[in-house]
Amino acid sequence: QSCHRPAGQRASQEPGSGGLPEGVEYIPTRKKGKNPMKPVGVAWYSLYARTRLGYLFYQRQVKKARERYPQGHSVPQPYCFPGVKILPIPVLSNNYSYLVIDTGSSQAAVIDPSDPLAVQAAIEEEGVMLEAIFCTHKHWDHSGGNEALCQKHNSCRVYGSALDAIPQLTNPLADREKVSVGCLTFEALATPGHTVGHMVYVLDGGPFGSPSCLFSGDLLFLAGCGRPFEGSPETMLASLDVAVGLGEDTLLWPGHEYALECLTFASLLELDNSALEQKLQWAVQQRQEKRSTCPSTLGEEQTYNPFLRTHCPELQEALGLWQGVGEDPDAFRARVLKEVRRRKDLYQAT
């Protein structure tokens, strides 16, 4: 993917100092449902991820979201191609679960069932049999519905990494292990960083004449990526490279609706990136209409997602970073990723 762009002003300011593309109005999103995983300290993360207090907080999140967004935070936009239907399910204040249906057999899998009531309602409306739950990681906002759904669907299996404490896990998966649900084939890829056992799932679109689909959890968002709570920049970079290696046509289905915030942040780093400006304008319109911004493609993401552009001289210059003499290219890219992450965290905290 080329990193070249028209000559113009280089971004050098810290995020939050203004500088949106001309004609784009910034619409604040922070008050629309708080994200518990924003930078609030190691102690809070440990409580959220490893104790019952985290589960109680998750239950409170679910209750408040059901009251505030009785129809979900976004208008779901099903994606269909011969033999397959993908239904995004907007849950909590900004999460997505995904119901993936083999339309021939009416067998289905769900990715990251945050709110079991919302997922069950979609299952009943579609008239399908839930055979599998694929969990990207242990955090309650991605796994909190596992127990309730398993109680309702006796044949349902729960898949994920044994390295994460995923609730109700029945079938631990290894890297690149494949699972079939009806005629659907999912491949699990180990992508540590956000958590030690984070996994993403790739639906093979080949048999259906469709691009493959990446269900990325908290590894990769539209124009963003998850925080490396349990990994180094080097680990996160390697996991992002795994995702990019899937190919430019791969459809990206992220775990959160963070597009507007992430694109706004990215626009403060690369002020003259035309692809970024166009995507931001589009996202503003989508969110004004409460419409989902997914999916994007991995090819698109490489033109505007700063976490996938660590190799680009334009971004490196905008950050004021240069490769040292004799410095390993991937070590330098990890340095760039670390700086982008630092600035994103500062942006979130303002």
Side-chain angles (χ1 to χ4, degrees):
Q1 185 70 35
S2 173
C3 292
H4 294 298
R5 58 183 188 176
Q9 180 184 2
R10 301 297 185 186
S12 60
Q13 72 264 41
E14 288 285 329
S17 61
L20 284 175
E22 183 179 355
V24 175
E25 176 187 3
Y26 171 57
I27 301 175
T29 61
R30 285 185 193 78
K31 293 185 180 179
K32 293 184 179 179
K34 295 179 180 178
N35 173 10
M37 307 315 294
K38 284 185 176 180
V40 289
V42 174
W44 166 245
Y45 175 74
S46 296
L47 289 172
Y48 180 83
R50 300 185 177 95
T51 73
R52 182 164 177 77
L53 286 176
Y55 180 68
L56 295 174
F57 183 83
Y58 151 78
Q59 288 184 312
R60 181 170 174 266
Q61 278 186 292
V62 172
K63 181 176 183 294
K64 292 180 70 174
R66 287 172 180 170
E67 293 171 352
R68 184 165 187 174
Y69 307 107
Q71 303 302 318
H73 59 74
S74 302
V75 178
Q77 298 167 258
Y79 181 88
C80 301
F81 46 94
V84 182
K85 181 176 183 178
I86 299 174
L87 179 63
I89 306 173
V91 289
L92 302 183
S93 60
N94 53 41
N95 282 72
Y96 285 113
S97 301
Y98 295 98
L99 187 64
V100 186
I101 303 168
D102 169 15
T103 57
S105 67
S106 292
Q107 295 182 71
V110 66
I111 290 88
D112 288 354
S114 305
D115 182 344
L117 289 185
V119 172
Q120 181 60 29
I123 291 170
E124 292 177 3
E125 183 174 345
E126 296 294 328
V128 296
M129 300 170 289
L130 184 65
E131 299 293 337
I133 293 172
F134 292 103
C135 247
T136 59
H137 62 294
K138 62 191 175 187
H139 292 158
W140 292 113
D141 63 323
H142 293 258
S143 64
N146 290 6
E147 183 175 1
L149 289 171
C150 286
Q151 289 174 353
K152 200 162 188 68
H153 303 272
N154 294 332
S155 65
C156 182
R157 312 297 289 173
V158 178
Y159 297 88
S161 171
L163 299 178
D164 264 19
I166 292 175
Q168 310 301 123
L169 181 67
T170 60
N171 291 61
L173 293 174
D175 183 34
R176 303 195 178 275
E177 190 169 348
K178 295 183 179 181
V179 178
S180 294
V181 177
C183 293
L184 310 177
T185 300
F186 295 85
E187 183 177 14
L189 300 177
T191 51
H194 185 67
T195 66
V196 168
H198 193 287
M199 282 188 145
V200 299
Y201 299 97
V202 181
L203 172 64
D204 182 7
F208 310 100
S210 168
S212 293
C213 294
L214 169 62
F215 299 94
S216 60
D218 281 0
L219 170 69
L220 188 61
F221 311 129
L222 193 153
C225 82
R227 294 185 68 208
F229 287 113
E230 300 179 10
S232 65
E234 290 78 9
T235 300
M236 200 69 176
L237 179 65
S239 292
L240 291 170
D241 283 348
V242 167
V244 169
L246 295 172
E248 294 185 355
D249 291 337
T250 302
L251 299 177
L252 172 64
W253 300 93
H256 289 270
E257 180 57 70
Y258 287 161
L260 198 52
E261 179 179 315
C262 289
L263 286 163
T264 302
F265 164 75
S267 72
L268 303 177
L269 297 180
E270 294 193 80
L271 295 179
D272 54 349
N273 183 327
S274 60
L276 173 55
E277 180 179 352
Q278 291 171 11
K279 192 69 175 183
L280 177 54
Q281 291 174 339
W282 173 84
V284 167
Q285 183 65 38
Q286 288 290 103
R287 297 311 297 154
Q288 285 177 339
E289 299 172 1
K290 302 293 185 185
R291 298 180 70 83
S292 169
T293 58
C294 57
S296 62
T297 69
L298 292 181
E300 274 189 272
E301 290 298 315
Q302 291 174 72
T303 67
Y304 53 66
N305 188 330
F307 296 96
L308 300 185
R309 292 173 58 79
T310 54
H311 60 293
C312 294
E314 293 88 348
L315 179 63
Q316 296 164 4
E317 183 180 339
L319 297 171
L321 296 177
W322 291 268
Q323 185 173 356
V325 176
E327 184 177 15
D328 179 80
D330 284 341
F332 176 53
R333 289 177 59 219
R335 247 193 332 123
V336 174
L337 183 69
K338 182 178 181 180
E339 177 61 13
V340 175
R341 182 74 260 170
R342 184 187 73 83
R343 293 191 181 207
K344 181 64 166 62
D345 291 346
L346 287 174
Y347 174 76
Q348 286 180 323
T350 57

